[in-house]
PDB file of all heavy atoms in Angstrom:
ATOM      1  N   GLY A  10       2.911  26.515   3.716  1.00 97.00           N
ATOM      2  CA  GLY A  10       2.886  27.599   4.722  1.00 97.00           C
ATOM      3  C   GLY A  10       2.517  28.909   4.013  1.00 97.00           C
ATOM      4  O   GLY A  10       2.052  28.895   2.865  1.00 97.00           O
ATOM      5  N   SER A  11       2.726  29.997   4.718  1.00 98.00           N
ATOM      6  CA  SER A  11       2.438  31.329   4.165  1.00 98.00           C
ATOM      7  C   SER A  11       3.700  31.986   3.735  1.00 98.00           C
ATOM      8  O   SER A  11       4.741  31.954   4.475  1.00 98.00           O
ATOM      9  CB  SER A  11       1.715  32.136   5.234  1.00 98.00           C
ATOM     10  OG  SER A  11       0.490  31.574   5.561  1.00 98.00           O
ATOM     11  N   VAL A  12       3.656  32.655   2.615  1.00 98.00           N
ATOM     12  CA  VAL A  12       4.886  33.307   2.070  1.00 98.00           C
ATOM     13  C   VAL A  12       4.414  34.505   1.276  1.00 98.00           C
ATOM     14  O   VAL A  12       3.305  34.541   0.725  1.00 98.00           O
ATOM     15  CB  VAL A  12       5.684  32.355   1.195  1.00 98.00           C
ATOM     16  CG1 VAL A  12       4.877  31.889  -0.004  1.00 98.00           C
ATOM     17  CG2 VAL A  12       7.032  32.925   0.808  1.00 98.00           C
ATOM     18  N   GLN A  13       5.253  35.506   1.240  1.00 98.00           N
ATOM     19  CA  GLN A  13       4.928  36.747   0.454  1.00 98.00           C
ATOM     20  C   GLN A  13       5.312  36.496  -1.004  1.00 98.00           C
ATOM     21  O   GLN A  13       6.165  35.691  -1.371  1.00 98.00           O
ATOM     22  CB  GLN A  13       5.689  37.912   1.010  1.00 98.00           C
ATOM     23  CG  GLN A  13       5.166  38.385   2.372  1.00 98.00           C
ATOM     24  CD  GLN A  13       5.720  39.770   2.691  1.00 98.00           C
ATOM     25  OE1 GLN A  13       6.928  40.044   2.424  1.00 98.00           O
ATOM     26  NE2 GLN A  13       4.895  40.611   3.282  1.00 98.00           N
ATOM     27  N   ALA A  14       4.583  37.185  -1.863  1.00 98.00           N
ATOM     28  CA  ALA A  14       4.869  37.122  -3.300  1.00 98.00           C
ATOM     29  C   ALA A  14       6.346  37.403  -3.578  1.00 98.00           C
ATOM     30  O   ALA A  14       6.931  38.265  -2.974  1.00 98.00           O
ATOM     31  CB  ALA A  14       4.005  38.057  -4.072  1.00 98.00           C
ATOM     32  N   GLY A  15       6.905  36.612  -4.481  1.00 98.00           N
ATOM     33  CA  GLY A  15       8.307  36.747  -4.749  1.00 98.00           C
ATOM     34  C   GLY A  15       9.215  35.819  -3.916  1.00 98.00           C
ATOM     35  O   GLY A  15      10.407  35.655  -4.213  1.00 98.00           O
ATOM     36  N   GLY A  16       8.691  35.252  -2.894  1.00 98.00           N
ATOM     37  CA  GLY A  16       9.430  34.367  -2.026  1.00 98.00           C
ATOM     38  C   GLY A  16       9.518  32.916  -2.566  1.00 98.00           C
ATOM     39  O   GLY A  16       9.103  32.694  -3.712  1.00 98.00           O
ATOM     40  N   SER A  17      10.026  32.071  -1.693  1.00 98.00           N
ATOM     41  CA  SER A  17      10.234  30.686  -2.086  1.00 98.00           C
ATOM     42  C   SER A  17       9.695  29.712  -1.044  1.00 98.00           C
ATOM     43  O   SER A  17       9.651  30.053   0.144  1.00 98.00           O
ATOM     44  CB  SER A  17      11.678  30.372  -2.300  1.00 98.00           C
ATOM     45  OG  SER A  17      12.238  31.155  -3.358  1.00 98.00           O
ATOM     46  N   LEU A  18       9.314  28.538  -1.476  1.00 98.00           N
ATOM     47  CA  LEU A  18       8.905  27.451  -0.597  1.00 98.00           C
ATOM     48  C   LEU A  18       9.388  26.140  -1.182  1.00 98.00           C
ATOM     49  O   LEU A  18       9.532  26.075  -2.441  1.00 98.00           O
ATOM     50  CB  LEU A  18       7.385  27.364  -0.472  1.00 98.00           C
ATOM     51  CG  LEU A  18       6.685  28.196   0.593  1.00 98.00           C
ATOM     52  CD1 LEU A  18       5.185  28.008   0.458  1.00 98.00           C
ATOM     53  CD2 LEU A  18       7.154  27.905   1.990  1.00 98.00           C
ATOM     54  N   ARG A  19       9.690  25.181  -0.345  1.00 98.00           N
ATOM     55  CA  ARG A  19      10.041  23.844  -0.811  1.00 98.00           C
ATOM     56  C   ARG A  19       9.102  22.820  -0.183  1.00 98.00           C
ATOM     57  O   ARG A  19       9.072  22.660   1.015  1.00 98.00           O
ATOM     58  CB  ARG A  19      11.474  23.510  -0.441  1.00 98.00           C
ATOM     59  CG  ARG A  19      11.982  22.215  -1.109  1.00 98.00           C
ATOM     60  CD  ARG A  19      13.252  21.791  -0.481  1.00 98.00           C
ATOM     61  NE  ARG A  19      13.989  20.819  -1.265  1.00 98.00           N
ATOM     62  CZ  ARG A  19      14.905  19.998  -0.750  1.00 98.00           C
ATOM     63  NH1 ARG A  19      15.240  20.024   0.522  1.00 98.00           N
ATOM     64  NH2 ARG A  19      15.530  19.146  -1.546  1.00 98.00           N
ATOM     65  N   LEU A  20       8.310  22.184  -1.045  1.00 98.00           N
ATOM     66  CA  LEU A  20       7.411  21.147  -0.592  1.00 98.00           C
ATOM     67  C   LEU A  20       8.107  19.824  -0.678  1.00 98.00           C
ATOM     68  O   LEU A  20       8.914  19.571  -1.564  1.00 98.00           O
ATOM     69  CB  LEU A  20       6.135  21.123  -1.417  1.00 98.00           C
ATOM     70  CG  LEU A  20       5.381  22.448  -1.582  1.00 98.00           C
ATOM     71  CD1 LEU A  20       4.106  22.176  -2.401  1.00 98.00           C
ATOM     72  CD2 LEU A  20       5.049  23.010  -0.217  1.00 98.00           C
ATOM     73  N   SER A  21       7.749  18.921   0.261  1.00 98.00           N
ATOM     74  CA  SER A  21       8.308  17.567   0.272  1.00 98.00           C
ATOM     75  C   SER A  21       7.131  16.584   0.356  1.00 98.00           C
ATOM     76  O   SER A  21       6.130  16.865   0.896  1.00 98.00           O
ATOM     77  CB  SER A  21       9.293  17.331   1.472  1.00 98.00           C
ATOM     78  OG  SER A  21      10.351  18.255   1.408  1.00 98.00           O
TER      79      SER A  21
END
Side-chain angles (χ1 to χ4, degrees):
S11 297
V12 61
Q13 288 193 323
S17 297
L18 275 177
R19 188 193 198 200
L20 306 183
S21 299

